Structures are given as C-alpha cells and as structure tokens.
Amino acid sequence: MTTLSPRAINRATLARQLLLERSDLSATEAVGQLVGMQGQEPKHPFVGLWSRLAWFGEGDLIAAIEDRKVVRATLFRGTLHLVTADDYLRFRTTLSPVLEAGLKLLGDRAAGLEPDKVAAAARQLLAVEPLTFTEVRDALQQQFPDVNDRALGFCTRMLVPLVISPSETRWGWTANARFTPAEQWIGGKLRRSAVPKELVVRYLEAFGPATPADFQTWSGLQKAKALFDSLELEVFTDEHGKNLYDVPGAPRPDADSEAPVRFLPEFDNLLLAHAKRERIIAGEHRQAVFTKNLRVKSTYLVDGLVAGLWTAEKKRGVATLTLTPFGRTTKKTAAELEREGEALLRFLEPDAKTYEVVTAS
C-alpha cells in the first residue's frame, strides 16, 4: 500500500481546492467543484473564489446568484453554505439527519417545542412571501406562545428547506435577509431519497485523500466507515499508517509541486473539512486561527500551509492589508505576498485611492 507524505497529501488537497493554480472554471462550476463554500457572512465566498479562479470578478458570482444557479442556505453541519442549486436539491435530504439532530443544541429552550407542527406552520407562512427570521419568529410566537421564540426560529432553520433571498447589495445579501422556500426559489424538487455514497465521492473529489472521520467532520453525517467500505476507492496510508481513501484517478500532484501564496477568507472550508488539519495548518498555529467564540480568521498560505493572518480596511481612501505572520518571512515570500495582497485589496476596495500591504509589528 502506497504511503503518502504530508506534503503529498497537502498538494493533492490544494489541487482539488483550486489553490495550486487558478482555474478557468465559472463561478457556478467552482462552487460545485468545492461542494459548497462556507457562507456565514456573504463576502467570504467571493474572496474564496477570487483566490481560486482566473479573472474572477464579483459580478460573476452575483450573476450566478441572480440566475438561481447558486444559492445560500443552511446545509453542512447546520451552517450557512453557498452551494449550487443542483447540489442543494440533490443533497438536502441526505443531510436531513444532521439538521434534525441539531435541535438537540436547544437544550432547555426546546421546552414545549413540537418540531413537526412548527415546521408545518413555518412552511405555510413562508409559502406566502419571503420573511426575515425575526418575522418568522414573531409570527410563530403568536401560534406557539408558550415556546421560546429562538427555538421556533432554529427549528424552522433546521427542518424547513429554505434559501436566503438575495438583494441588490454588493455581496448579494443584506445582514437581515429574507428566507424563501428552496423548491419555490430554485424551481425544482428536492431529491426524496438520500444519496450518501454520492456525497462521499464528491467530498473526496474536493478534499481527498481523506478518512471517514474527515468526511464526518465536514458533513456532520456519522458512521461513515461503512459508506467508504461500500465504494470502490483507492486506499493509501499516511506517515502514521492511517488509511486514507480516495477516488480512483483523482489529482495527486507531485509532492514537490509549487504552491503559490494564497489568501483565504474567514471560515474557508479548507480549514474546516478534516478531523485532523495538519495537512494545511500546524498544530501550534490553530489557536491563533480558531477562536473561542467559534470564528475562523482570514489566513494566508505559504508553500501550501497557513503561515499567518490578514485583515483589510479602508480609511480616507487608503486600503490597507495587514499581515500577521506566524514566523519569519523570506524576502521572496514577502514580495509574493505584497503582489498578491495588493491584487486582493484592489478586488475588495476598487474605489480606494491608494493601496498598502503592511506587516503587523
């Protein structure tokens, strides 16, 4: 059985994540290749695609959203993701157990909650018109006055297939956006039967080679080992003898392949898709990236690994990208970061008068 070095695993994952070289895929095709992008906040997937696609402009993704080819909805792990409309219809039923299990997080707030009745009432409300979740909670509270209003809203989010209605704003959605029934918005029907084997294959195509535990971390689905065993997959081992599974013929570039510097947004799926994340971030740096309040900071990659944090702001017409490196930065890498960083700033702040890339002291 072939053993893959840490560097070989890293390069294989980066290739599938479109981070070894920028791709000519369309925005919709790229979102499909990545099997969705974490989308707690609207801007982040735009930055993620900018780092992965050649000639990407925000209008490319906005057009896909307006054409209803890409949607923003609650999906993997019960969190907001940007996914293709086809993938949402395909996999929403497969992920239903994860979303239903999410109700356990309510704890004592679930007192008196009857999920099926609440979901049915929410469907009736949202079939009439798109609503914000504040409006959903207020309306449901009138029907279920003895139930916690947050529990009513959370139940709706987990059990009712909804997408977020886009708006005419820069990153596609307002902070207090309206939700609408997914089938109604997309114009298609959810697949009624689960297809977990398909989801495993798609996961490996985007994040492999990987383990069943990695798939569980990414999807939220449990007991994945049996799924992996039922598929015809290639099996490798890592340096510790752990089995890694992969799709036959999937890209596995040479371990010495060059990995250019890349900037990743907050919550990028590359940092969230594996149980053990050493393939992309060293253990000693995790605490600086993953915060106690469950944020995942914006990072940059050097030679394929997380090497520091970045923030961007614009004041008085000056757009500034501030780098916080985790270690020493060579002159060559610093020059690459400055070039790539200024290009990112021009994407984020096209109206700025000047652009600066600085390193935090």
Side-chain angles (χ1 to χ4, degrees):
M1 192 178 296
T2 302
T3 298
L4 298 177
S5 68
R7 192 176 176 89
I9 295 168
N10 170 271
R11 293 310 194 254
T13 306
L14 291 177
R16 296 165 210 204
Q17 285 289 298
L18 313 178
L19 290 167
L20 281 187
E21 58 180 343
R22 283 186 164 93
S23 170
D24 290 326
L25 293 175
S26 70
T28 302
E29 290 169 336
V31 173
Q33 163 62 30
L34 301 171
V35 207
M37 305 179 75
Q38 192 93 358
Q40 267 97 329
E41 296 175 14
K43 179 172 71 173
H44 300 153
F46 286 83
V47 176
L49 289 177
W50 178 87
S51 286
R52 289 170 164 93
L53 299 181
W55 315 113
F56 174 74
E58 63 185 79
D60 301 329
L61 183 52
I62 291 293
I65 293 164
E66 291 177 345
D67 290 343
R68 308 190 184 195
K69 294 178 180 178
V70 172
V71 297
R72 185 169 169 232
T74 300
L75 202 59
F76 304 107
R77 305 180 302 281
T79 58
L80 287 175
H81 275 71
L82 204 69
V83 296
T84 67
D86 288 344
D87 279 350
Y88 185 87
L89 295 177
R90 188 81 179 159
F91 296 122
R92 173 59 172 74
T93 299
T94 299
L95 293 162
S96 289
V98 178
L99 303 176
E100 292 166 5
L103 295 182
K104 295 177 183 178
L105 297 174
L106 290 172
D108 294 341
R109 289 183 296 174
L113 180 69
E114 296 181 79
D116 291 343
K117 290 184 178 180
V118 171
R123 285 189 180 94
Q124 288 185 336
L125 288 169
L126 288 155
V128 177
E129 62 178 336
L131 299 171
T132 67
F133 255 85
T134 299
E135 292 169 335
V136 171
R137 289 194 300 264
D138 290 347
L140 289 175
Q141 187 83 80
Q142 295 180 29
Q143 297 185 51
F144 306 95
D146 297 327
V147 181
N148 180 281
D149 67 327
R150 295 286 173 176
L152 293 170
F154 190 71
C155 180
T156 300
R157 188 187 297 270
M158 294 296 107
L159 299 190
V160 183
L162 303 172
V163 301
I164 306 179
S165 299
S167 58
E168 294 183 2
T169 187
R170 185 179 179 197
W171 304 116
W173 291 275
T174 59
N176 191 26
R178 297 180 180 275
F179 287 71
T180 193
E183 291 182 332
Q184 180 179 318
W185 177 261
I186 297 171
K189 295 293 184 182
L190 296 175
R191 183 181 175 88
R192 299 308 174 194
S193 57
V195 286
K197 292 182 182 180
E198 284 188 33
L199 192 58
V200 168
V201 171
R202 291 287 301 282
Y203 167 76
L204 291 174
E205 289 174 342
F207 297 101
T211 68
D214 291 327
F215 172 76
Q216 291 175 185
T217 296
W218 170 77
S219 67
L221 290 169
Q222 301 302 300
K223 300 180 180 179
K225 181 62 164 61
L227 285 174
F228 277 62
D229 289 342
S230 69
L231 292 165
E232 295 184 5
L233 301 172
E234 291 191 66
V235 184
F236 304 90
T237 60
D238 65 14
E239 62 178 346
H240 304 295
K242 185 83 170 178
N243 283 352
L244 295 171
Y245 298 81
D246 208 358
V247 178
R252 285 183 288 276
D254 189 279
D256 292 327
S257 298
E258 182 180 353
V261 299
R262 289 289 184 261
F263 287 89
L264 301 179
E266 292 183 49
F267 298 104
D268 195 277
N269 271 8
L270 180 61
L271 293 170
L272 295 167
H274 301 92
K276 294 186 177 180
R277 295 159 183 168
E278 285 77 7
R279 71 178 63 200
I280 197 68
I281 181 171
E284 62 264 30
H285 301 322
R286 286 187 59 168
Q287 191 173 0
V289 175
F290 299 88
T291 69
K292 292 181 180 179
N293 61 349
L294 304 181
R295 302 288 301 184
V296 181
K297 295 181 180 180
S298 300
T299 60
Y300 61 86
L301 306 180
V302 174
D303 194 25
L305 295 172
V306 172
L309 309 175
W310 65 271
T311 59
E313 64 175 356
K314 185 177 76 170
K315 289 183 178 180
R316 301 183 185 89
V318 179
T320 303
L321 186 78
T322 301
L323 307 178
T324 304
F326 292 151
R328 178 177 171 270
T329 303
T330 67
K331 289 184 178 180
K332 179 176 182 294
T333 297
E336 292 174 356
L337 286 168
E338 184 170 359
R339 285 195 299 271
E340 185 79 357
E342 182 173 330
L344 174 58
L345 274 178
R346 291 181 182 277
F347 170 74
L348 291 173
E349 303 293 350
D351 297 330
K353 297 177 181 178
T354 58
Y355 300 89
E356 296 179 352
V357 178
V358 301
T359 300
S361 55

